[in-house]
Amino acid sequence: MSLKPQKTVVSGIQPSGKLHLGNLIGALENWVSLQDKYHCYFFIADLHALTTGYDNVKKFKDDINEVAVDLMAVGLDPEKCVIFKQSDVPEHCELHLLFSMITPLPWLLRVPTYKSKIDEIKGKDLGTYGFLGYPVLQAADILIYKADFVPVGEDQVPHIELTREIARRFNHFYGNVFPLPQDLLTNVPVMPGIDGRKMSKSYGNTIALSDSPETIRKKVNLMITDPARIKKEDKGHPGVCTVFEYHRIFNQPNVEQIRRECIDAARGCVDCKKEFLNHLLRYLEPIQKRRAEIMEHPKKVESVLEEGRLKASKIAAATLYEAKTSMGII
Ligand code: TRP
Ligand code: SF4
């Protein structure tokens, strides 16, 4: 008998290259803890990646595989949760199409990510049908499993609101089929990149989960500390130092002591970085070990995704059938 309560959690991650510390702390660690408490569906959102990456698919397959390996390496366990690739379950697409019939255009045009992404990603035509419909596809991803909770970052909250609006409208027209899912906001600090800006693939400032210890050491060495601190005798300002931010995230028990020593000029930046580097490497060790094991059995990744596809399809097909029946299609 399962001890899990019957609540369902759904979330997806775009395969936009190797996953990094920001993904780990911002999402994946939370996913790993959720898999023990809920029925979880975690998927690689390859179709969502196409809404912005449609013109560059050369590395697409590798990127998808890389993310699958990362998901397993961080500790998602195919025995505890369903791990799959979005496009392997075409019911998402069919439900997306049905939802597109009832989603008013103004709802999509006022989603904040719509305008902000267009401004952010310069030099690419995002005036596409697929990109405007991004949140409709996301609503289908979530509602096809009748999710109760959706763990996401702050920027995704409007998408979950829209998901509820679509569910409400569907239920209003055709009868009560869909629940109204809630976002599960993780209360985590924004992960700085090695340059101090938010860690993001598009800034090229990430530390990837799969970076070698040597690469990580080089990146940590590049990190900006307190620019006003030229000599070791200068008093430091931890509040403006990226390395201090990292200590806060990965070295919490020692953070007050580090703050004091920095302010009192009792620790040098070189030693401070070294201490952080050791903490980070220790933190990543189990992940990297699992990754190496998985890489030795590439077929394992394929079979996990296949098993995930089968489990996800079963639920997705049942929900789609119910939706189509209530719409009078079947
Ligand atoms: N839009 C999400 C992001 O960029 C990824 C995503 C796609 C997702 N479908 C989802 C997240 C369904 C939660 C639920 O982070
Ligand atoms: Fe940053 Fe540490 Fe140097 Fe202080 S001692 S400025 S916290 S790197």
Side-chain angles (χ1 to χ4, degrees):
M1 194 182 76
S2 166
L3 292 174
K4 289 182 182 180
Q6 297 303 300
K7 297 279 184 198
T8 296
V9 163
V10 172
S11 198
I13 190 158
Q14 288 196 38
S16 45
K18 296 178 164 140
L19 298 185
H20 53 69
L21 292 181
N23 302 125
L24 178 67
I25 301 299
L28 302 178
E29 281 197 336
N30 188 34
W31 291 14
V32 171
S33 69
L34 289 168
Q35 69 179 347
D36 291 319
K37 301 188 209 111
Y38 300 107
H39 290 303
C40 291
Y41 295 84
F42 296 127
F43 62 91
I44 302 167
D46 55 345
L47 297 171
H48 276 107
L50 280 176
T51 63
T52 46
Y54 59 84
D55 57 346
N56 185 11
V57 295
K58 269 206 288 306
K59 288 192 0 311
F60 205 33
K61 227 186 197 153
D62 292 341
D63 283 348
I64 291 168
N65 191 54
E66 200 80 52
V67 172
V69 174
D70 278 334
L71 292 181
M72 290 167 63
V74 298
L76 287 186
D77 178 351
E79 304 280 318
K80 295 181 178 174
C81 66
V82 184
I83 307 170
F84 63 102
K85 186 170 88 171
Q86 183 187 29
S87 65
D88 276 346
V89 185
E91 284 82 359
H92 291 225
C93 306
E94 201 169 337
L95 189 61
H96 164 252
L97 183 79
L98 298 178
F99 284 165
S100 77
M101 306 302 168
I102 62 165
T103 307
L105 270 186
W107 288 12
L108 298 177
L109 291 165
R110 66 168 183 247
V111 171
T113 46
Y114 182 63
K115 278 201 204 77
S116 65
K117 271 270 153 72
I118 287 181
D119 291 343
E120 191 185 308
I121 308 179
K122 295 245 157 55
K124 177 175 297 189
D125 183 4
L126 289 183
T128 59
Y129 177 55
F131 185 66
L132 182 65
Y134 182 114
V136 184
L137 179 58
Q138 187 163 349
D141 296 336
I142 295 166
L143 293 171
I144 197 105
Y145 303 105
K146 299 194 174 180
D148 300 290
F149 301 120
V150 189
V152 284
E154 195 116 40
D155 62 316
Q156 294 290 310
V157 171
H159 294 179
I160 314 304
E161 270 163 25
L162 186 80
T163 299
R164 285 195 293 274
E165 281 172 41
I166 291 175
R168 251 187 237 111
R169 193 164 162 90
F170 187 101
N171 293 346
H172 168 75
F173 283 135
Y174 313 116
N176 206 5
V177 173
F178 294 108
L180 305 179
Q182 292 294 316
D183 51 77
L184 266 190
L185 264 186
T186 27
N187 197 7
V188 290
V190 173
M191 175 73 59
I194 58 171
D195 59 358
R197 292 187 291 173
K198 181 182 171 186
M199 186 176 284
S200 158
K201 189 93 194 347
S202 50
Y203 293 148
N205 62 1
T206 64
I207 293 179
L209 302 180
S210 52
D211 278 347
S212 69
E214 182 51 22
T215 305
I216 296 178
R217 191 184 62 77
K218 284 192 186 133
K219 288 182 177 177
V220 169
N221 274 340
L222 286 174
M223 279 176 192
I224 320 261
T225 59
D226 174 3
R229 208 172 170 211
I230 298 163
K231 301 190 296 307
K232 193 175 161 184
E233 299 77 57
D234 297 333
K235 291 184 186 311
H237 304 86
V240 300
C241 172
T242 310
V243 179
F244 186 73
E245 276 305 302
Y246 280 104
H247 276 293
R248 238 214 272 265
I249 299 169
F250 292 98
N251 191 9
Q252 187 61 41
N254 299 320
V255 83
E256 272 321 303
Q257 187 190 348
I258 295 167
R259 182 201 302 277
R260 274 257 66 84
E261 290 177 0
C262 174
I263 293 173
D264 296 344
R267 71 162 43 216
C269 293
V270 174
D271 289 340
C272 192
K273 278 185 174 179
K274 218 175 265 167
E275 179 180 333
F276 161 63
L277 175 67
N278 289 335
H279 270 274
L280 181 59
L281 292 179
R282 219 172 306 141
Y283 197 90
L284 290 179
E285 201 177 276
I287 297 178
Q288 300 213 328
K289 200 164 145 245
R290 264 195 301 266
R291 167 172 261 280
E293 282 162 16
I294 297 163
M295 296 304 274
E296 280 176 27
H297 305 98
K299 283 266 177 290
K300 170 79 179 153
V301 179
E302 248 172 68
S303 72
V304 165
L305 292 183
E306 175 57 14
E307 197 188 314
R309 180 187 75 79
L310 284 169
K311 287 187 192 157
S313 297
K314 225 162 133 189
I315 308 297
T319 308
L320 186 63
Y321 183 82
E322 198 184 340
K324 286 166 86 172
T325 308
S326 54
M327 290 177 93
I329 302 176
I330 39 179

